[in-house]
């Protein structure tokens, strides 16, 4: 376990866990948290043993958005733009991680917290969770790339409504809209998240990475005609790996068994 000022991280059995940890301010993101998250992501981007990354907070909050008090000290657009862009770039890198990413939301995920959710492949949420793009309530827009990702995830009409009204929705509504993928009982929340995450941990880490590459290429507008090559390369890469050879040999050995 690695305890920083604003994050707690650990890696075990192919799963990397990142806890947002500023409980006194409902895990609001300040520039120190951005720097610590950049540090972790830079290291984990290189870690081919990681098959899943889980982002989570605590019972009360996943993340309450940007640290309103700290960011209010910044007055001009010239000064705030690089801060917004920095976090937007970081969320883009999270969305491009080669492993599966899961936002595990127990309490509130609002503003930038909801933008973080949209940068992950899956959102698991407890029955008590609430989500909202509440930026409009303080008369700003999303600054971290969350609007476009939300539109991709839940479609234009629902996204525009959430973004402009700043409504906070409960987990059932979020599931209907496909912002949340699974609703989880609040008790033993993280254990249940772990069971979900473990599905993606395979003997061959290449499989998840290959399908994630396909998903990212599709999202980035790669023409369908390119996928014959991409998928053939991925499959050929897996072909040589020991896990494939052994799996086929196990099958053939059973077939040839004399009873
Ligand atoms: C700049 C990037 C774009 C954005 O993220 S814009 C959206 C920014 N976020 C917000 O406006 C959310 C503000 N917070 C809230 O509405 C509520 O605190 C929230 C998250 C619903 C939680 O409600 P409760 O559980 O009742 O907790 P509470 O209000 O008593 O808060 C506990 C302490 O945490 C503080 N806090 C919560 N969210 C914060 C934030 N985002 N930035 C800075 N401080 C924040 C809050 O001021 C309170 O502090 P204190 O204990 O009174 O000293």
């Amino acid at each position: 376990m690695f305890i920083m000022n604003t994050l707690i991280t650990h890696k075990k059995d192919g799963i990397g866990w990142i806890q947002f940890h500023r409980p006194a301010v409902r895990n609001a993101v300040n520039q120190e948290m951005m720097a610590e998250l950049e540090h972790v992501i830079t290291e984990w981007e290189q870690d081919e043993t990681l098959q899943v990354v889980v982002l989570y907070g605590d019972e009360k909050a996943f993340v309450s958005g940007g640290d309103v008090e700290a960011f209010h000290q910044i007055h001009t657009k010239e000064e705030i733009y690089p801060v917004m862009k920095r976090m937007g770039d970081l969320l883009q890198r999270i969305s491009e991680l080669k492993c599966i990413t899961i936002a595990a939301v127990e309490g509130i995920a609002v503003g930038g917290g909801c933008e973080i959710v949209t940068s992950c492949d899956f959102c698991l949420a407890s029955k008590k969770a609430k989500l909202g793009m509440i930026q409009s309530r303080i008369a700003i827009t999303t600054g971290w790339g969350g609007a476009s990702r939300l539109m991709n995830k839940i479609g234009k009409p629902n996204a525009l409504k959430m973004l402009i009204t700043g409504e906070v929705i409960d987990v059932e509504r979020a599931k209907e809209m496909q912002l949340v993928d699974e609703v989880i009982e609040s008790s033993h929340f993280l254990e249940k998240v772990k069971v979900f995450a473990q599905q993606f941990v395979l003997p061959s880490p290449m499989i998840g990475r290959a399908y994630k590459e396909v998903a990212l290429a599709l999202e980035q507008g790669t023409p369908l005609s390119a996928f014959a090559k991409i998928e053939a390369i991925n499959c050929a890469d897996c072909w040589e790996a020991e896990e494939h050879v052994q799996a086929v040999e196990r099958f053939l050995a059973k077939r040839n068994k004399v009873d």
Side-chain angles (χ1 to χ4, degrees):
M1 185 173 291
F2 190 42
I3 301 176
M4 290 170 266
N5 284 337
T6 70
L7 301 177
I8 299 175
T9 66
H10 75 280
K11 288 193 245 185
K12 195 162 191 270
D13 302 330
I15 305 176
W17 298 82
I18 300 176
Q19 181 178 14
F20 299 108
H21 189 61
R22 297 185 71 215
V25 288
R26 301 290 182 264
N27 306 324
V29 177
N30 61 1
Q31 297 205 58
E32 185 177 31
M33 188 185 275
M34 288 183 194
E36 291 187 349
L37 196 53
E38 276 167 351
H39 178 82
V40 176
I41 296 302
T42 301
E43 190 197 313
W44 290 11
E45 276 168 341
Q46 307 306 320
D47 186 342
E48 296 195 356
T49 67
L50 271 184
Q51 299 192 55
V52 184
V53 168
V54 181
L55 302 175
Y56 67 108
D58 54 52
E59 260 183 29
K60 289 188 174 149
F62 174 74
V63 167
S64 63
D67 185 322
V68 178
E69 196 176 342
F71 291 151
H72 198 53
Q73 308 309 310
I74 303 174
H75 301 297
T76 67
K77 66 177 178 186
E78 288 75 17
E79 288 171 300
I80 197 66
Y81 169 78
V83 179
M84 294 293 170
K85 180 72 167 42
R86 178 184 190 183
M87 191 64 185
D89 286 343
L90 185 52
L91 294 194
Q92 185 59 28
R93 285 169 64 193
I94 289 174
S95 77
E96 289 178 6
L97 280 175
K98 295 197 174 98
C99 54
I100 294 299
T101 50
I102 298 172
V105 179
E106 263 188 283
I108 192 104
V110 288
C114 197
E115 296 193 63
I116 297 173
V117 167
T118 62
S119 72
C120 294
D121 299 319
F122 293 94
C123 176
L124 309 187
S126 87
K127 288 192 165 170
K128 293 185 203 149
K130 289 193 187 319
L131 298 98
M133 288 285 194
I134 62 168
Q135 289 82 344
S136 64
R137 293 189 187 192
I138 56 166
I140 55 170
T141 62
T142 53
W144 302 348
S148 48
R149 288 198 191 94
L150 187 71
M151 288 179 197
N152 260 345
K153 259 191 196 284
I154 69 173
K156 187 172 73 169
N158 280 330
L160 284 174
K161 184 162 176 277
M162 272 188 82
L163 289 160
I164 296 171
T165 65
E167 67 187 335
V168 174
I169 56 175
D170 64 21
V171 77
E172 282 78 24
R173 181 77 187 113
K175 174 91 167 45
E176 271 167 29
M177 287 184 184
Q178 298 183 343
L179 178 55
V180 162
D181 300 287
E182 302 261 342
V183 181
I184 292 187
E185 288 291 337
S186 310
S187 64
H188 308 289
F189 179 72
L190 283 180
E191 282 168 35
K192 288 167 187 154
V193 171
K194 185 172 163 194
V195 170
F196 182 88
Q198 280 168 333
Q199 301 174 82
F200 300 101
V201 179
L202 301 185
S204 170
M206 293 162 95
I207 309 288
R209 297 172 85 82
Y211 286 126
K212 184 73 186 271
E213 184 193 343
V214 170
L216 288 170
L218 259 184
E219 260 171 33
Q220 287 160 3
T222 303
L224 287 177
S225 56
F227 284 93
K229 185 172 175 187
I230 293 171
E231 295 190 33
I233 291 173
N234 284 343
C235 186
D237 284 344
C238 295
W239 200 265
E240 282 190 342
E242 200 49 36
E243 289 86 357
H244 167 65
V245 176
Q246 282 183 9
V248 176
E249 281 173 4
R250 276 196 301 276
F251 169 76
L252 295 176
K254 267 194 241 152
R255 203 178 57 181
N256 293 335
K257 197 170 69 180
V258 182
D259 287 325

